[in-house]
Amino acid sequence: MKRMTRQDDLAFYRGKRVFVTGHTGFKGIWLSRILLGAGAHLTGFSLASPTAEGALLFEKLRLAAKMRSIAGDVRDLAALERAFRETRPEIVLHLAAQPLVRESYRTPVDTYAVNVMGTAHILECVRKSDTVISVLNVTTDKVYENKEWVWGYREDERLMGFDPYSNSKSCAELVTASYRQSFFADGGVRISTARAGNVIGGGDFSPERIVPDCIRAASEGRAVVLRNPASTRPYQHVLEPLSAYLRIAHVQWHDAAFAGSYNVGPEDADCVTTGELAALFCRTWGEGASWRAEKEGGAPHEAGFLKLDSSRIKARLGWQPRWHIEEAVAHTVAWAKAWQAGEDVAARMTAQIAAYFKEAEA
């Protein structure tokens, strides 16, 4: 495969009919901004943002006025089928999910319904479509059976997520593999999965996530409280996995041989502990921001060490992470402070996207 740039990826999407599920969520909003900027004919299918701040951000960005935004639930097969018939997508990027580990302990059945049957519904719509060529199902780095190894998991490791969220995503991987083998073995429709690490960035207002928790605490003059400061995760800026998703769907469009599963994580040097991330956040935020550890009694199980081996996507697709953890935190803090100050976050998002994709050409 010839060397491909991120600018090539953006150019590919001009004029393409793209269907994105979960477009009102954290990743979905950023992805929608990128695709609209690239000139895609974009349809989004999602429930409203799960947070009031996320809904406000979606409104501020005026995304619904620039794309076809369908309010819908991926658990509703009939609604999805109508959306596919009306929009006739060529590319499907499936991001809609219940994405929180701790929430999955509280609502396991709903988590499986969204993450497993939602995926099956998307793939069933693709099976019935006569227009779809390229499909990407976004899962998670947590799909693997976690053995607390100090080296990164590779795509051929055993899938066996522990908690309901992680396990539901393991199941979604298996559903995707089954559909690929059962209905799309001729390569006419190319289907991949992407297993990305923990993402950070402006516009994430989720509860029980480290960086949003840090922002809330620092804004209120409280110390950030960490449950597991020694846990290690592959943190990366949200633009990193999104650029990888765009690359995967682009490359497999042209050649079905590139369809498969891909890890998307940072370099090893950027895999840090939660305590290290919080300390970096506090230094970047300033204003006396601080953190402290506080053991939580009766807390549900969470992995202690998790790292991805992203050699496959680097070797096969030529994708490389761009921003180190310090840059990722700096961009996240700058965005959060702009949001709190009532600044034009649309302009800041556009600038960060432009900087990321421009720097990739250096």
Side-chain angles (χ1 to χ4, degrees):
M1 185 180 73
K2 73 179 184 68
R3 180 181 177 274
M4 193 170 293
T5 69
R6 284 169 169 84
Q7 289 295 319
D8 292 331
D9 293 327
L10 295 182
F12 164 76
Y13 287 92
R14 178 168 296 280
K16 297 292 193 303
R17 298 191 304 275
V18 184
F19 191 99
V20 175
T21 68
H23 69 294
T24 61
F26 169 41
K27 278 186 179 178
I29 286 175
W30 280 90
L31 181 59
S32 296
R33 289 282 296 185
I34 296 170
L35 287 168
L36 288 170
H41 298 306
L42 185 60
T43 297
F45 185 97
S46 180
L47 296 173
S49 172
T51 66
E53 297 93 338
L56 179 59
L57 174 60
F58 188 82
E59 182 181 326
K60 280 180 176 289
L61 296 175
R62 296 179 52 79
L63 289 175
K66 302 171 185 176
M67 61 187 290
R68 182 165 187 171
S69 180
I70 301 174
D73 191 327
V74 292
R75 290 171 291 188
D76 185 344
L77 177 58
L80 268 175
E81 289 176 333
R82 283 195 301 274
F84 267 67
R85 286 195 301 270
E86 292 169 2
T87 61
R88 296 178 59 78
E90 299 168 292
I91 299 166
V92 177
L93 305 174
H94 177 42
L95 278 68
Q98 191 300 94
L100 302 173
V101 170
R102 289 164 72 88
E103 176 62 24
S104 76
Y105 281 107
R106 292 187 287 266
T107 59
V109 173
D110 283 347
T111 298
Y112 279 100
V114 173
N115 295 350
V116 183
M117 289 310 301
T119 297
H121 289 164
I122 287 292
L123 293 171
E124 184 64 7
C125 290
V126 170
R127 185 176 74 86
K128 295 178 179 179
S129 169
D130 61 359
T131 59
V132 175
I133 297 171
S134 181
V135 181
L136 180 68
N137 177 25
V138 174
T139 61
T140 176
D141 57 351
K142 299 173 182 64
V143 295
Y144 299 107
E145 180 181 18
N146 193 309
K147 299 182 179 180
E148 302 290 341
W149 286 336
V150 296
W151 55 84
Y153 293 91
R154 294 173 296 183
E155 288 84 353
D156 59 356
E157 308 282 2
R158 186 178 186 223
L159 301 176
M160 183 56 72
F162 183 100
D163 56 87
Y165 164 70
S166 305
N167 189 265
S168 70
K169 286 295 194 174
S170 302
C171 293
E173 286 275 354
L174 295 175
V175 170
T176 305
S178 176
Y179 261 80
R180 185 193 298 120
Q181 294 164 175
S182 300
F183 306 113
F184 307 112
D186 63 358
V189 178
R190 297 86 192 266
I191 302 178
S192 288
T193 62
R195 305 164 182 175
N198 293 42
V199 293
I200 65 174
D204 185 4
F205 303 104
S206 300
E208 300 176 327
R209 276 191 187 153
I210 177 60
V211 171
D213 285 349
C214 284
I215 293 170
R216 283 186 283 266
S219 302
E220 297 167 10
R222 299 182 286 106
V224 180
V225 177
L226 302 184
R227 301 186 301 267
N228 302 299
S231 63
T232 298
R233 296 288 186 273
Y235 295 105
Q236 57 191 331
H237 191 273
V238 63
L239 290 174
E240 301 281 19
L242 295 183
S243 71
Y245 304 162
L246 296 176
R247 173 66 55 84
I248 295 167
H250 173 193
V251 172
Q252 70 181 12
W253 169 290
H254 294 296
D255 189 343
F258 289 102
S261 295
Y262 295 93
N263 287 339
V264 183
E267 303 291 3
D268 284 354
D270 294 310
C271 291
V272 297
T273 68
T274 304
E276 290 169 333
L277 180 68
L280 176 57
F281 170 87
C282 290
R283 289 196 302 272
T284 307
W285 186 276
E287 303 175 25
S290 63
W291 70 273
R292 61 183 171 83
E294 186 176 293
K295 197 70 176 176
E296 182 182 12
H301 171 274
E302 293 186 73
F305 193 97
L306 179 56
K307 184 187 290 186
L308 292 175
D309 182 335
S310 301
S311 301
R312 186 169 192 259
I313 191 171
K314 293 175 182 178
R316 298 200 75 206
L317 306 188
W319 179 87
Q320 294 285 340
R322 191 65 202 167
W323 285 343
H324 293 294
I325 187 64
E326 293 83 5
E327 294 169 281
V329 171
H331 285 297
T332 302
V333 167
W335 196 99
K337 290 197 170 188
W339 172 265
Q340 292 181 351
E343 296 178 16
D344 184 355
V345 291
R348 187 166 290 272
M349 287 183 80
T350 299
Q352 288 190 1
I353 290 168
Y356 178 84
F357 282 87
K358 181 180 179 180
E359 288 179 37
E361 301 307 302

